[in-house]
Amino acid sequence: MSIYDKLAALNITLPPVATPAAAYVPYAQTGNLVFLSGHIARKDGKPWVGQFGRDIATEDGKAAARAVAIDLLGTLHAATGGDLNRVRRIVKVMSLVNSTSDFTEQHLVTNGASELLGEVFGDKGKHARSAFGVAQIPMGACVEIELIAELA
């Protein structure tokens, strides 16, 4: 089954690449590696705002991280020249989770993105990962995630 068949089965439509909010590009490629800039969680087209441990629950965070992964897939689609089947492997995911100092479930929030990448890419979606709690993310977003992929 192609990547696009899997996306259709999951009822996922890839979004267009978002316009950068500052002085950076959405992705950069060197050799066979493509580095995707951090994407923030969005809900209804606006930043998904909140801080874990204060006003947003872990399960909602998983949904936010999944939403970020869908946006990342849209950017990765552009980075592959419109063919996600060129992805040889998702290499690394780094997740920043807007958290209070006593919130310790950043890894569970980030599972929302990791699990979706596994559903879409199968074994090629298994990746190394870091999940950090941070005091704030641009625009007050609850989650920001960046990704590194290897292309064929």
Side-chain angles (χ1 to χ4, degrees), residues 42-147:
R42 294 190 175 278
K43 188 176 193 178
D44 301 323
K46 298 178 183 171
W48 192 328
V49 175
Q51 188 173 52
F52 295 92
R54 186 184 72 200
D55 55 14
I56 189 168
T58 300
E59 281 305 309
D60 292 329
K62 273 186 80 171
R66 185 181 191 280
V68 175
I70 292 170
D71 286 345
L72 286 164
L73 289 172
T75 300
L76 187 56
H77 172 76
T80 62
D83 185 7
L84 285 172
N85 292 301
R86 288 186 54 214
V87 173
R88 186 174 282 163
R89 176 156 200 172
I90 303 298
V91 177
K92 173 84 188 242
V93 167
M94 188 180 79
S95 175
L96 304 173
V97 180
N98 186 347
S99 318
T100 61
S101 62
D102 59 345
F103 182 81
T104 60
E105 295 185 339
Q106 292 83 2
H107 61 296
L108 299 177
V109 168
T110 305
N111 279 348
S114 294
E115 290 168 1
L116 178 65
L117 293 170
E119 285 180 77
V120 172
F121 291 103
D123 284 344
K124 294 178 183 182
K126 294 179 180 176
H127 53 271
R129 186 179 91 178
S130 300
F132 299 96
V134 297
Q136 196 51 266
I137 292 175
M139 295 179 261
C142 60
V143 180
E144 179 176 354
I145 302 175
E146 64 181 49
L147 181 148

